[in-house]
Amino acid sequence: NLFGGCCGTSPAHIAACAEDAAGLTVQPPKRRGISAVSSARGICRVGLDEPFTIIGERINPTGKKALQAELREGKLGLVKRSSQEQEDCGAGILDVNMGLSGTDDREMILKCVALLSQSSSLPLCLDSTRPEVIESVLRVYPGRALINSVSGERERLERTLPLAARYGAMFVVLPVTDEGIPETLEERKRVVLDILQRAEALGCRREDAVVDGLVMTVSSNQEAARLTLDLIEWCTRELAVNTVCGVSNVSFGLPERAWVNAAFLMMSIGRGMSMAIANPASELMRSLILASDTLNGRDKGLRRYIRQFGGESTEKSAPSTAPTKKTPEAFVMEAVLEGDADGMEQHLLRAMQSGLDARFLVDNCLIPAIEKVGALFESGEYFLPQLIMSADAMRTGFSVLEPHLVKEENEAHAGTIVLATVKGDIHDIGKNIVALMLRNYGYEVIDLGKDVSAETIVQEAIDRRASIIGLSALMTTTMVHMKEVVALARSQCPASLRIMIGGAVVDQLYADEIGADGYAPDAMSTVRMVNAWLK
């Protein structure tokens, strides 16, 4: 279907070509779907017949202080070094996220893509929720990129999905709606089908899509992994669509996370997953992927497996937290330390029968025990599930003792705190833990939940005469709403009101930038800050 000239041919030559071709019949193109992304110098094919693909996750400033510092200075030395290390470790695609407070993410991602297009042969996954940023990169990217991501949220469907069709990019399908993350498999299936149908209406094909299994941590919901695995299998077997997952999400808050990540990865591959967002430097992860590719025929001639394999295991003993002397108060403290909410009431009743009063048990058993739990959590000896169970045991203890506590009429409340995850953000695990811990320290906590507007937060603080507003955000696109809350609160609330922020994407620098009074990286830091302000 193509007939013409090249460098050095003249208009006369082209005219002669046109004359000779006038009687030829043009054959309609036969479009064949292909799941692949490319750079200027390389291609990565995706699918069950191709080697399993690792999307390198390390070019992302979240939680990386050294990278954050460089990006704020406009430097990309660590980006270049990380891209080379991930390529050397076997990554097939590089995820690029430049979301960082105090920087222009559009400018930085364009600089980053320009650098990586020359220094790396790997295709890029463009990780941004801002459609204008995605389009700016797609216009100049020398290859076929992967967009991360297109969700069922109205703005993403209307603005980001058409970009994938217009620029011929592959795209990650994220089963999330404006109402949040669907809790059931059937609800997630409906979101996936809706996005795929809209994509096909724009001219995209199933081969262009990669469905994100969207795994949540099993620390807070042990059904989370099963739900994701079922969705992966359905997408693979029923829809013939490629799938991807952020593997490390499943183990958040657990000890020895590498084992849980590895087991989940293997289970996901067994269900048909074709890609994973992970750290390619993990030898355990690479080894298991190579072994699975060998067993299922993805590694032709076993060449990749023969080049590299290995692993290492370590064992850690659980910390011993049991009191040595089993006095009645020791049993109470042990119930908190071991997260024994079911046995707490019995231990407290026995302690009171032995002559200990409720106030003594609060001041000398419950409070010291939860403080020890906090210290163990901060030192890495306790993990998220233990922290949650201990907080539940503490809450049970307070509910048992409250009727027995004698309160003076003039006793002032420790303080009221309004907590919320800001508008547009649906992540609330960290905020929920903070609420538990603050309640256990005697504060009244008004938890407004997630995706809460600035107006609602400030009005609740006014109505409740709150001393503190606590704001949470886990996405670079939603943390900007913290600034709105601060500005509104400063204009409508008493000058004595304190505002604190937290979340993986924010830091003290951002707190200073928006005028917040403080930043707390975790639950125990929050408690210490609140104690300093109110006690």
Side-chain angles (χ1 to χ4, degrees):
N1 290 335
L2 300 176
F3 182 31
C6 192
C7 299
T9 56
S10 66
H13 177 85
I14 299 300
C17 287
E19 183 179 350
D20 289 346
L24 299 179
T25 301
V26 176
Q27 299 296 317
K30 295 180 179 179
R31 184 179 179 189
R32 180 173 62 89
I34 178 173
S35 296
V37 288
S38 65
S39 67
R41 295 183 286 120
I43 185 171
C44 178
R45 298 174 182 269
V46 181
L48 291 179
D49 295 329
E50 303 292 341
F52 188 85
T53 302
I54 297 178
I55 302 177
E57 65 181 0
R58 290 169 53 192
I59 304 178
N60 186 327
T62 301
K64 302 180 180 70
K65 293 184 178 179
L67 180 57
Q68 291 174 6
E70 273 213 356
L71 295 181
R72 288 197 168 103
E73 295 176 5
K75 299 177 181 179
L76 295 172
L78 284 176
V79 168
K80 183 176 181 180
R81 192 180 316 150
S82 177
S83 68
Q84 188 60 56
E85 290 171 353
Q86 292 183 95
E87 185 171 358
D88 292 343
C89 287
I93 300 171
L94 295 177
D95 184 78
V96 178
N97 184 317
M98 292 286 109
L100 179 63
S101 63
T103 65
D104 184 338
D105 60 335
R106 179 181 177 275
E107 178 185 352
M108 289 306 301
I109 199 169
L110 285 171
K111 288 177 62 176
C112 182
V113 168
L115 169 69
L116 296 178
S117 296
Q118 296 179 357
S119 64
S120 175
S121 64
L122 297 184
L124 301 183
C125 174
L126 308 178
D127 193 352
S128 174
T129 56
R130 295 178 59 198
E132 60 271 24
V133 172
I134 295 293
E135 182 164 26
S136 295
V137 178
L138 290 177
R139 289 177 62 85
V140 300
Y141 179 65
R144 189 190 196 204
L146 173 64
I147 298 174
N148 188 14
S149 57
V150 176
S151 70
E153 296 160 295
R154 184 173 60 85
E155 184 180 15
R156 300 267 196 107
L157 286 174
E158 294 177 354
R159 298 187 61 191
T160 305
L161 185 57
L163 296 179
R166 179 179 181 183
Y167 292 94
M170 288 190 72
F171 56 96
V172 174
V173 173
L174 192 65
V176 173
T177 69
D178 288 316
E179 288 70 42
I181 301 174
E183 295 183 356
T184 68
L185 178 62
E186 292 306 316
E187 289 173 324
R188 293 191 185 187
K189 286 181 180 180
R190 283 195 291 272
V191 178
V192 169
L193 287 174
D194 180 58
I195 296 173
L196 292 178
Q197 289 168 2
R198 289 171 182 262
E200 289 169 349
L202 293 172
C204 300
R205 299 168 67 96
R206 293 281 175 93
E207 293 86 357
D208 301 330
V210 183
V211 176
D212 191 330
L214 195 61
V215 66
M216 309 302 284
T217 175
V218 294
S219 292
S220 57
N221 178 13
Q222 282 196 269
E223 291 300 312
R226 189 196 310 274
L227 178 59
T228 295
L229 293 170
D230 289 343
L231 181 63
I232 289 171
E233 183 169 31
W234 174 75
C235 289
T236 303
R237 314 303 178 200
E238 300 295 327
L239 301 184
V241 175
N242 286 305
T243 52
V244 66
C245 206
V247 174
S248 62
N249 292 348
V250 73
S251 65
F252 179 77
L254 292 175
E256 296 294 336
R257 295 179 63 184
W259 299 111
V260 179
N261 294 344
F264 177 70
L265 175 67
M266 290 299 97
M267 295 170 73
S268 300
I269 291 176
R271 297 289 191 101
M273 189 166 75
S274 43
M275 311 167 74
I277 301 173
N279 181 3
S282 168
E283 186 176 8
L284 173 62
M285 208 69 92
R286 293 199 314 271
S287 301
L288 290 172
I289 289 172
L290 289 171
S292 68
D293 281 355
T294 296
L295 295 173
N296 60 30
R298 287 177 164 182
D299 184 6
K300 308 302 180 185
L302 310 185
R303 289 188 293 269
R304 295 171 64 242
Y305 179 81
I306 291 172
R307 281 198 302 265
Q308 177 182 338
F309 73 93
E312 181 177 335
S313 65
T314 60
E315 294 184 359
K316 290 175 66 177
S317 299
S320 175
T321 59
T324 55
K325 186 179 179 180
K326 293 293 185 176
T327 59
E329 55 265 42
F331 278 105
V332 173
M333 293 188 70
E334 184 176 309
V336 176
L337 291 167
E338 296 185 353
D340 183 13
D342 293 336
M344 176 60 80
E345 181 175 6
Q346 180 182 6
H347 294 316
L348 286 172
L349 293 177
R350 286 179 178 174
M352 286 189 287
Q353 288 170 0
S354 72
L356 300 174
D357 63 43
R359 177 56 61 186
F360 175 89
L361 291 170
V362 169
D363 295 340
N364 297 280
C365 297
L366 295 185
I367 296 297
I370 200 65
E371 287 177 343
K372 184 173 183 180
V373 169
L376 290 169
F377 177 72
E378 287 188 325
S379 68
E381 295 179 72
Y382 265 28
F383 298 88
L384 184 59
Q386 291 158 298
L387 182 65
I388 293 174
M389 288 189 296
S390 291
D392 285 339
M394 182 82 168
R395 184 168 51 188
T396 299
F398 271 122
S399 66
V400 172
L401 294 177
E402 188 171 13
H404 304 278
L405 293 172
V406 178
K407 297 184 179 180
E408 297 180 6
E409 290 184 1
N410 62 351
E411 182 181 5
H413 197 281
T416 299
I417 303 164
V418 171
L419 295 182
T421 300
V422 295
K423 183 179 179 181
D425 205 313
I426 56 176
H427 301 86
D428 64 352
I429 292 176
K431 173 187 63 61
N432 294 343
I433 296 171
V434 167
L436 274 174
M437 296 300 292
L438 288 173
R439 288 188 179 114
N440 286 341
Y441 276 80
Y443 296 105
E444 181 183 13
V445 177
I446 311 302
D447 188 348
L448 301 181
K450 53 194 175 184
D451 189 18
V452 187
S453 68
E455 293 77 12
T456 300
I457 295 170
V458 172
Q459 189 59 52
E460 194 70 21
I462 294 172
D463 294 344
R464 299 280 189 158
R465 297 183 180 179
S467 303
I468 296 173
I469 291 177
L471 304 174
S472 174
L474 206 66
M475 299 189 295
T476 55
T477 52
T478 59
M479 70 183 194
V480 295
H481 296 301
M482 290 178 165
K483 185 175 183 179
E484 299 172 7
V485 178
V486 173
L488 188 61
R490 297 305 185 212
S491 67
Q492 298 187 11
C493 296
S496 60
L497 177 78
R498 303 287 190 99
I499 302 175
M500 62 195 312
I501 67 172
V505 294
V506 300
D507 52 21
Q508 185 60 53
L509 183 66
Y510 188 64
D512 296 338
E513 178 184 323
I514 65 175
D517 296 290
Y519 157 74
D522 52 49
M524 288 309 301
S525 299
T526 304
V527 170
R528 283 197 296 271
M529 186 175 295
V530 171
N531 285 343
W533 286 346
L534 300 184
K535 289 188 175 180

